Amino acid sequence: MATARKDCKKVSSKQTVKLNKSATSSVVTVRISDEEKERIDEIMRYLNIKRYSDVMRMALQMIR
């Protein structure tokens, strides 16, 4: 019993906040044409972006 209690650690409030932020993520699927994909690929090469999700986040920020 004593060892089981040692293994259980209290979660600090900072860690709880981090867990809640990651829980709010969502997956969004978008259909794009070949031409649109080529354009996004060009943008990614030009700006040295490796993930499509980063491009989408930038686009949403620009819309706001």
Side-chain angles (χ1 to χ4, degrees):
M1 285 291 243
T3 57
R5 289 183 188 156
K6 288 180 183 176
D7 291 340
C8 295
K9 294 181 180 179
K10 224 178 190 182
V11 176
S12 71
S13 61
K14 289 181 183 177
Q15 290 175 339
T16 305
V17 171
K18 288 181 183 177
L19 293 175
N20 289 340
K21 285 185 181 178
S22 65
T24 60
S25 295
S26 299
V27 175
V28 177
T29 303
V30 179
R31 289 182 182 253
I32 58 173
S33 67
D34 290 340
E35 293 170 356
E36 292 167 327
K37 184 179 181 310
E38 288 174 10
R39 179 65 179 134
I40 293 169
D41 289 338
E42 287 176 23
I43 293 168
M44 290 174 68
R45 277 192 299 274
Y46 180 75
L47 297 175
N48 198 24
I49 300 172
K50 296 182 181 181
R51 299 182 307 177
Y52 286 96
S53 58
D54 293 335
V55 174
M56 295 307 295
R57 283 188 190 96
M58 288 175 62
L60 290 171
Q61 288 296 322
M62 292 171 74
I63 291 171
R64 285 186 192 176

